[in-house]
Amino acid sequence: MTRYKLPSVGSDVKLDRRCPHCDNPNGNIHSGIHYRRVSDPKVREIPQRRMKCPACGTTWTLRADGVGKGRQRSDHLRALGVILYMLGLSYRGVQTFLPCLKCQGGKSSIERDVDAAGANAERYHKAAARTMRVRVLGVDGTGGAMAGQNKGILFFVDVDQSRLICVEAVHEQDARKVRRHVAKVMAAVGAEELRSDEHSCYKGIVDEPAHRLCQTHWLKSKCRRAADLHRCAVAEGRDLEARSMLELLGLLRLKPRPPRPPPELERLVMRYISCRKGLLWKINQLLQHVERTWSKVSDDPRDATNNATERVIGLTLKIRAKTMRGFKAERKVLAHPYLASLLRGEDGICDIRRVI
């Protein structure tokens, strides 16, 4: 469970005589304390007073903490609106809920609050990321609806800590941009290993020993293909091929998994190495691919998968994206994962005051 720290509204006006225009420290009190109504779940009005500079004649207003300049809604209420939206309500849904707290807020105002909080969360996260050091860098791509178009988004995650590092608007089909961004992020965080799926855009970024494939993704895809070929062999009455695919499934599921291709796999490869047609050709392709990529699969004793990256993508973007039609602008879809990551908190605590 996450405990949220929200902004609070002050009850007193701090007397600050320094002029905001000329920096004169001897400003005069220009009026008594007046009370202005605000929209907040607990506080109905806040004190404020006017000040005047004797040097330049500038007047300004001092007000209690927790309410921004020119705002009628307190920072506490704005933070509540952001949290409710990030938890799944629409902007109109948040607007409908606020009267239950005896407060008001339009959906456009709530949208601006979420937009501003996302931009602040992105700046805060990127500033903290400059000091991050990562052992295994996980990378994976996904899509996001933006202004009616499906754009590619690339996620970078610390696999050991399941922690978001950064998000880039890059499609996996653009291999040149992907390689450039991955190399830049790896250098910035000092990553020792790159963890990804088998997409061709990730090949050649680093030397092969430093690039490992996700064991779960690799195993699932190979087992699925072997099972499909086994069903085809049974349907065609090919007993030898059916037994070969069952043997391959057994080798894929070996525990502990040998770091090098086992001799039984090499024997299967040699059995079908000369086949070039039909079902036998498909079996030949699968066996050679398994043998070629066997040693590239991660055997990390901590975590041999890239599930941490996919989990971060789901928690910070995909789950929320399924409940909406899409984002209006690219900056909003890129800022959303940073804000969602902040709201997940650290050690069970989320200080949302940093972005409101």
Side-chain angles (χ1 to χ4, degrees):
M1 185 175 68
T2 303
R3 179 168 169 248
Y4 294 98
K5 292 185 177 181
L6 277 67
S8 59
V9 180
S11 58
D12 299 321
V13 178
K14 297 179 180 178
L15 184 60
D16 183 6
R17 295 180 178 273
R18 187 170 297 277
C19 175
H21 179 69
C22 68
D23 209 33
N24 178 24
N26 299 314
N28 298 326
I29 296 176
H30 194 53
S31 72
I33 294 180
H34 300 278
Y35 288 86
R36 179 166 67 88
R37 291 188 61 82
V38 294
S39 185
D40 183 83
K42 296 181 179 180
V43 179
R44 295 299 170 220
E45 54 185 18
I46 60 168
Q48 64 181 31
R49 78 188 322 162
R50 298 285 291 171
M51 304 290 292
K52 185 174 182 178
C53 178
C56 65
T58 299
T59 57
W60 69 96
T61 302
L62 299 178
R63 57 180 60 84
D65 295 333
V67 180
K69 181 180 179 181
R71 297 188 184 276
Q72 293 184 343
R73 296 174 301 125
S74 68
D75 294 342
H76 184 90
L77 182 63
R78 294 173 60 228
L80 282 177
V82 171
I83 292 174
L84 289 172
Y85 172 79
M86 296 301 293
L87 290 178
L89 289 181
S90 64
Y91 295 125
R92 195 178 298 276
V94 178
Q95 177 187 3
T96 305
F97 175 78
L98 289 183
C100 298
L101 303 177
K102 297 182 180 180
C103 300
Q104 299 295 327
K107 63 183 184 67
S108 298
S109 299
I110 297 165
E111 182 179 1
R112 287 193 294 268
D113 293 339
V114 173
D115 191 13
N120 292 335
E122 182 176 358
R123 286 193 293 269
Y124 174 80
H125 190 96
K126 288 184 176 180
R130 296 191 186 103
T131 60
M132 285 185 185
R133 287 297 173 264
V134 175
R135 187 181 69 90
V136 180
L137 176 67
V139 59
D140 199 3
T142 186
M146 290 181 282
Q149 298 181 353
N150 190 27
K151 300 294 185 70
I153 306 170
L154 207 59
F155 278 74
F156 297 90
V157 174
D158 180 357
V159 173
D160 292 333
Q161 303 294 330
S162 295
R163 177 179 55 182
L164 177 67
I165 296 177
C166 66
V167 181
E168 300 289 348
V170 181
H171 203 288
E172 282 186 315
Q173 301 300 328
D174 192 342
R176 182 177 298 178
K177 281 187 177 180
V178 169
R179 293 190 177 104
R180 183 169 66 249
H181 281 284
V182 172
K184 181 179 69 174
V185 175
M186 285 197 70
V189 299
E192 302 173 8
E193 180 184 317
L194 175 66
R195 186 81 51 80
S196 71
D197 55 25
E198 295 182 85
H199 201 291
S200 60
C201 66
Y202 302 116
K203 295 179 180 179
I205 299 176
V206 294
D207 295 335
E208 188 172 305
H211 182 201
R212 285 290 178 262
L213 302 177
C214 169
Q215 189 178 109
T216 298
H217 181 276
W218 181 86
L219 187 60
K220 186 182 296 183
S221 64
K222 303 304 174 286
C223 287
R224 183 172 59 250
R225 289 178 61 187
D228 290 342
L229 291 175
H230 173 261
R231 284 192 293 270
C232 291
V234 171
E236 295 180 12
R238 295 176 175 270
D239 295 338
L240 178 61
E241 283 68 34
R243 291 197 300 270
S244 296
M245 290 299 95
L246 288 177
E247 185 178 356
L248 176 59
L249 285 169
L251 294 174
L252 290 172
R253 294 165 179 166
L254 282 175
K255 291 186 179 181
R257 181 180 176 278
R260 309 296 298 178
E264 295 83 356
L265 176 59
E266 297 178 2
R267 178 174 53 81
L268 287 174
V269 172
M270 296 306 299
R271 179 184 296 174
Y272 297 95
I273 192 69
S274 300
C275 299
R276 291 293 184 272
K277 291 183 179 180
L279 177 64
L280 300 183
W281 167 237
K282 294 179 181 179
I283 293 176
N284 179 20
Q285 285 184 309
L286 174 60
L287 290 171
Q288 289 194 59
H289 183 71
V290 170
E291 183 186 40
R292 186 169 57 252
T293 59
W294 186 285
S295 59
K296 299 179 182 179
V297 179
S298 175
D299 289 317
D300 194 329
R302 295 189 189 178
D303 184 4
T305 73
N306 200 27
N307 293 348
T309 304
E310 296 186 1
R311 187 162 51 247
V312 168
I313 293 175
L315 291 173
T316 61
L317 181 64
K318 296 293 284 187
I319 294 176
R320 186 67 180 93
K322 289 180 179 179
T323 65
M324 56 193 300
R325 289 178 293 177
F327 294 87
K328 293 182 179 179
E330 182 178 293
R331 72 175 191 280
K332 293 185 178 181
V333 70
L334 294 178
H336 192 279
Y338 295 109
L339 183 55
S341 180
L342 174 73
L343 291 178
R344 291 176 63 192
E346 297 179 5
D347 300 325
I349 298 176
C350 168
D351 190 355
I352 198 173
R353 297 173 298 182
R354 295 179 291 192
V355 298
I356 297 298

